[in-house]
């Protein structure tokens, strides 16, 4: 059986359509399945629509959070609730084409244990979103050791891979990277991002920046090295300015070096403060891990 996990946040317009579309595609291919909607603290009628879908079809299940915990928490809650021999994660807005699920499923039948959905293109993006995503993907590619440039959360995992991912008790997990990091026999399926059929994207610029910072810090120490390198460069610049001032003073010249030195010192102070902020952020993450709070709280489930 294939468990299809669908994180849902304020998706009242899409619940029924998504359920109908996914069932129609998988029934046509004779794939036994269940759908697990994870209501991530929606403030609209999303849960009512999920209840309605569950009443109409016993293959529809759900996990309802007590508040919004984020997409990563929703994915992991869905994986924990999945009863299938394999589990797939897809978006509720149908931008992940359900027809690709059958391709993933057939590859799983052939023995592949992690089947990754890889985007042919990024679809409609703003210039800022495209640039920031490119930088984020490069950092994550280096951290994970695999090409994450066109990777997505749209992927299917064998039960062994699901159990391996669930065994990682990080407070801020990054599913896309962790499901690659655990290894296993992997295949890729390319797909074209479909146009969103209803509603609007829940990813604001602020949310994207927060998501990127959280996942980079959770999977890579690169920001620490960047901060340290920037501090070293500023220190070298400060020393160079100091030597220049000493040399000019020794040959009897009286340049207006004080202002330049002050600027360099201010720059150095700014970089050092940035480095402290980065270190503080990592210490805060350690603090979160030590507290051991649950990733999510379930209000009710079926």
């Amino acid at each position: 059986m294939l468990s299809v996990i669908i994180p849902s946040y304020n998706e009242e317009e899409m619940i029924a359509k998504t359920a109908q579309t996914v069932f129609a595609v998988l029934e046509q291919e004779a794939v036994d399945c269940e759908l697990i909607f994870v209501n991530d603290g929606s403030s609209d009628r999303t849960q009512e629509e999920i209840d309605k879908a569950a009443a109409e079809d016993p293959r529809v299940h759900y996990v309802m959070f007590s508040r919004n915990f984020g997409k990563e928490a929703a994915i992991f809650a869905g994986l924990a609730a999945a009863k299938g021999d394999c589990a797939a994660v897809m978006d509720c807005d149908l931008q992940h084409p359900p027809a690709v699920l059958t391709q993933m499923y057939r590859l799983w039948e052939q023995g592949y244990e992690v089947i990754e959905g890889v985007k042919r293109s990024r679809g409609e993006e703003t210039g800022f979103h495209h640039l920031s995503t490119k930088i984020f993907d490069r950092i994550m590619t280096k951290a994970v050791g695999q090409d994450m440039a066109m990777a997505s959360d749209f992927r299917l995992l064998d039960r062994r891979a699901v159990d391996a991912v669930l065994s990682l008790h990080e407070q801020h997990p990054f599913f896309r990277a962790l499901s690659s990091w655990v290894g296993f026999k992997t295949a890729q399926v390319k797909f074209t991002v479909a146009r969103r059929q209803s509603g609007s994207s829940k990813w604001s610029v602020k949310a994207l920046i927060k998501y990127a910072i959280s996942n980079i810090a959770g999977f890579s120490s690169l920001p620490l090295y960047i901060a340290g390198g920037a501090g070293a460069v500023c220190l070298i610049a400060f020393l160079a300015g100091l030597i220049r001032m000493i040399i000019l003073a020794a040959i009897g010249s009286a340049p207006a070096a004080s202002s330049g030195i002050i600027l360099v010192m201010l720059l150095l102070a700014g970089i050092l403060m940035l480095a402290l902020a980065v270190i503080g952020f990592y210490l805060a993450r350690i603090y979160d891990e030590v507290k051991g709070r649950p990733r999510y709280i379930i209000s009710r489930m079926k």
Side-chain angles (χ1 to χ4, degrees):
M1 184 175 69
L2 167 63
S3 298
V4 182
I5 298 157
I6 308 175
S8 309
Y9 177 65
N10 291 344
E11 294 285 3
E12 61 180 2
E13 299 176 14
M14 291 300 301
I15 298 298
K17 186 166 189 175
T18 299
Q20 292 168 5
T21 304
V22 173
F23 279 139
V25 169
L26 295 179
E27 284 172 359
Q28 187 175 3
E29 295 292 327
V31 177
D32 184 23
C33 66
E34 66 171 355
L35 261 60
I36 304 173
F37 287 100
V38 183
N39 181 1
D40 186 20
S42 300
S43 57
D44 63 358
R45 297 178 60 256
T46 294
Q47 188 58 46
E48 294 178 36
E49 292 297 321
I50 293 174
D51 289 337
K52 190 183 300 183
E56 293 174 356
D57 196 318
R59 294 173 297 175
V60 174
H61 306 279
Y62 64 81
V63 176
M64 178 182 173
F65 285 173
S66 60
R67 64 169 176 83
N68 179 250
F69 284 92
K71 185 178 181 181
E72 299 298 315
I75 291 174
F76 275 76
L79 290 173
K83 299 180 177 66
D85 304 291
C86 56
V89 175
M90 66 175 290
D91 288 349
C92 191
D93 55 17
L94 294 181
Q95 288 191 296
H96 293 160
V100 177
L101 285 173
T102 59
Q103 298 178 44
M104 292 179 171
Y105 185 81
R106 298 308 176 201
L107 285 169
W108 172 73
E109 288 183 319
Q110 295 172 27
Y112 291 97
E113 295 164 294
V114 177
I115 299 92
E116 305 172 343
V118 178
K119 303 173 187 173
R120 288 194 177 92
S121 67
R122 296 193 173 278
E124 299 176 356
E125 285 184 339
T126 63
F128 173 79
H129 191 181
H130 179 74
L131 177 62
S132 58
T133 301
K134 200 170 183 179
I135 295 171
F136 172 73
D137 288 340
R138 285 185 179 179
I139 294 173
M140 293 312 301
T141 294
K142 187 171 182 179
V144 179
Q146 298 185 30
D147 186 7
M148 302 288 287
M150 301 301 280
S152 69
D153 294 326
F154 188 28
R155 50 188 62 202
L156 184 149
L157 278 64
D158 177 74
R159 170 50 59 183
R160 289 204 306 157
V162 170
D163 292 341
V165 170
L166 289 175
S167 72
L168 305 173
H169 299 296
E170 301 174 19
Q171 295 298 310
H172 301 278
F174 182 26
F175 171 72
R176 190 183 311 174
L178 289 175
S179 57
S180 296
W181 180 84
V182 294
F184 295 103
K185 188 177 180 181
T186 303
Q188 294 183 338
V189 174
K190 291 188 176 181
F191 71 96
T192 300
V193 178
R195 184 184 295 273
R196 186 180 176 90
Q197 299 190 23
S198 180
S200 58
S201 174
K202 310 303 183 298
W203 290 100
S204 64
V205 173
K206 180 180 178 181
L208 286 169
I209 292 174
K210 183 178 178 182
Y211 178 79
I213 291 174
S214 176
N215 289 320
I216 289 172
F219 219 89
S220 172
S221 299
L222 184 60
L224 289 174
Y225 296 110
I226 292 174
V233 169
C234 287
L235 180 59
I236 292 170
F238 171 75
L239 291 174
L242 181 62
I243 292 170
R244 177 178 177 275
M245 184 183 70
I246 293 172
I247 293 174
L248 290 175
I251 62 177
S253 179
S258 58
S259 59
I261 295 298
I262 292 173
L263 288 175
V264 172
M265 293 180 68
L266 287 173
L267 179 61
L268 176 62
I271 296 299
L272 289 175
M273 291 300 294
L274 176 63
L276 287 173
V278 172
I279 294 170
F281 183 75
Y282 275 87
L283 289 174
R285 294 296 296 269
I286 294 172
Y287 178 56
D288 285 341
E289 296 290 340
V290 170
K291 284 188 295 186
R293 289 179 180 172
R295 293 170 180 163
Y296 50 84
I297 297 174
I298 296 175
S299 175
R300 60 188 173 97
M301 63 185 295
K302 172 186 177 293

